[in-house]
Amino acid sequence: MTETTIYDDSDADLSVLEGATVAMIGYGNQGRSQALNLRDSGVEVVVGNRGDEYRERIEDDGFEALSIADAAERGDVICLLIPDEVAPDVFDAEIEPGLEEGNTVYVSHGYNLTYDLLQPPETTDVVLVAPRMGGWAVRELYESGEGFPSVLAVEQDYTGDAKAIALAMAKGIGSTQAGVVEGTADMETKIDLLSEQALLPIMMAAMTTKFEVEVAHGIPPEIVMSELYLSYEMAEIFEEMAERGYLGQLPFHSRTSQYGQLSRFDQFDAEPLREFYEEQLQGIDNGSFAREWSAEQDLDRPGLKRLYKKYRESAFFEAERETMERLDFGAEDGT
């Protein structure tokens, strides 16, 4: 394996963005946080968004709420931070006509680049800076000075300055404080989709199966759900894992727990999991998932709606809702 390049604050120069305007297209979780962080770093930012519920928030945050086309035309770096499924059409219709030679197209998810759904002109730079966390944390960790990791990629370097611009953007949003890992858009797409299509489904299958087994053995659903995640114990464990590593956080558990976890992990047959990961990865690599999802969207997402209905009515999620209500955990399901 070749050594991975990781950049920090000393590798990035915000002066690269002096005199440039960053056009933030989209003001959802990532768009808002990155726009605020860049502005607080001294970067000139304009925001383009459709006339939706975010417009008032844009103005409340002190930005002028521009149309997408107007913002893109003003921008030297155009940040496309709107949902993957609408980004290509918006780019073609409202952004590309206003692009100038030497502009930079910036994304925070590789999906549309990986599957050639987004095709910026050859006379532009194309870069990716992908924070490895949600938008709320991007803002919170910037304000705390801790920073957060991101994947950085240069997909097209027309000007010869694409990496310097990408690093300056990463520094502006606060990521080089923690470290930015150089990769490619395809790598970012792969790790993101494989987490969504394999890791999280495996976790959900493990939890629902544990629930079924324990309830079948006479344990009340409220006790089962509290132990799974509603008590926040699992969230605390994952937070400590992020801070100290898995083995580093184990001493916070009892020795009974430490032995149980490591000995049964050692005995666990991971081969079926490996096969499942490989199967999902094949669908990511050959584009079959992307085609499936595009077809699903064209039909107004009937499969996704069916799956929501199916699982809302399942015993597991009914127990989740009832436990949250009876033990005053969290808030009602808003999905």
Side-chain angles (χ1 to χ4, degrees):
M1 293 178 64
T2 57
E3 186 174 353
T4 303
T5 302
I6 300 178
Y7 300 102
D8 61 24
D9 272 348
S10 66
D11 299 304
D13 183 2
L14 276 171
S15 70
V16 171
L17 298 175
E18 283 182 9
T21 298
V22 172
M24 190 63 61
I25 308 301
Y27 208 67
N29 288 334
Q30 281 291 342
R32 178 176 186 264
S33 292
Q34 293 196 34
L36 291 171
N37 293 1
L38 285 163
R39 184 176 66 184
D40 288 352
S41 295
V43 178
E44 178 69 27
V45 179
V46 297
V47 178
N49 203 69
R50 294 192 167 169
D52 56 19
E53 67 273 16
Y54 292 109
R55 180 167 290 271
E56 184 176 348
R57 193 173 196 184
I58 293 169
E59 294 171 344
D60 288 345
D61 285 340
F63 294 106
E64 181 184 359
L66 301 174
S67 70
I68 290 174
D70 285 346
E73 191 170 351
R74 286 199 204 178
D76 300 290
V77 180
I78 294 86
C79 302
L80 192 59
L81 299 188
I82 55 179
D84 289 331
E85 57 266 30
V86 301
D89 288 342
V90 170
F91 182 83
D92 292 344
E94 302 181 61
I95 296 174
E96 185 171 6
L99 289 179
E100 295 182 357
E101 182 178 357
N103 282 168
T104 299
V105 176
Y106 167 108
V107 297
S108 286
H109 188 13
Y111 187 94
N112 285 319
L113 295 175
T114 293
Y115 298 114
D116 294 324
L117 299 172
L118 185 69
Q119 297 181 320
E122 293 181 357
T123 54
T124 60
D125 292 340
V126 181
V127 303
L128 172 141
V129 178
R132 306 323 302 155
M133 55 192 55
W136 66 269
V138 166
R139 182 59 177 164
E140 186 177 282
L141 292 170
Y142 174 89
E143 292 181 312
S144 71
E146 296 174 69
F148 49 87
S150 293
V151 175
L152 178 145
V154 173
E155 295 296 306
Q156 188 167 285
D157 188 8
Y158 174 76
T159 65
D161 296 324
K163 182 174 286 187
I165 292 169
L167 283 168
M169 290 292 292
K171 185 170 186 173
I173 66 173
S175 193
T176 51
Q177 181 72 20
V180 176
V181 185
E182 187 169 25
T184 66
D186 287 356
M187 290 176 185
E188 195 279 334
T189 299
K190 189 174 296 187
I191 61 170
D192 206 48
L193 294 186
L194 197 59
S195 290
E196 295 165 359
Q197 296 172 32
L199 177 60
L200 291 173
I202 287 168
M203 290 173 62
M204 282 309 305
M207 288 192 290
T208 55
T209 303
K210 182 176 186 287
F211 170 84
E212 292 165 358
V213 169
E214 290 175 341
V215 169
H217 282 263
I219 302 175
E222 293 83 358
I223 294 177
V224 176
M225 295 305 303
S226 297
E227 174 67 14
L228 279 175
Y229 54 83
L230 290 184
S231 68
Y232 286 92
E233 181 184 19
M234 291 302 297
E236 291 171 356
I237 291 171
F238 273 90
E239 185 172 353
E240 289 296 331
M241 286 169 59
E243 291 287 336
R244 306 169 188 272
Y246 176 74
L247 294 176
Q249 61 83 40
L250 268 183
F252 291 103
H253 301 248
S254 69
R255 286 200 173 93
T256 303
S257 175
Q258 294 172 45
Y259 178 74
Q261 290 183 55
L262 290 177
S263 63
R264 270 47 187 178
F265 173 57
D266 194 50
Q267 297 171 18
F268 188 81
D269 180 9
E271 194 54 36
L273 297 184
R274 187 184 307 279
E275 292 174 1
F276 182 70
Y277 273 111
E278 291 287 355
E279 181 182 349
Q280 303 314 308
L281 187 56
Q282 183 179 10
I284 293 167
D285 283 343
N286 65 24
S288 61
F289 171 80
R291 292 189 292 273
E292 176 187 335
W293 176 226
S294 293
E296 173 78 6
Q297 293 174 75
D298 289 343
L299 297 172
D300 195 27
R301 305 181 302 281
L304 183 59
K305 295 172 184 176
R306 175 184 58 79
L307 289 167
Y308 263 115
K309 184 176 187 299
K310 172 183 176 180
Y311 288 109
R312 280 197 186 103
E313 296 172 355
S314 69
F316 181 87
F317 288 108
E318 285 182 3
E320 178 192 68
R321 286 192 296 273
E322 291 174 5
T323 302
M324 291 174 75
E325 291 170 3
R326 296 187 68 188
L327 296 180
D328 197 25
F329 280 138
E332 292 185 2
D333 176 22
T335 55

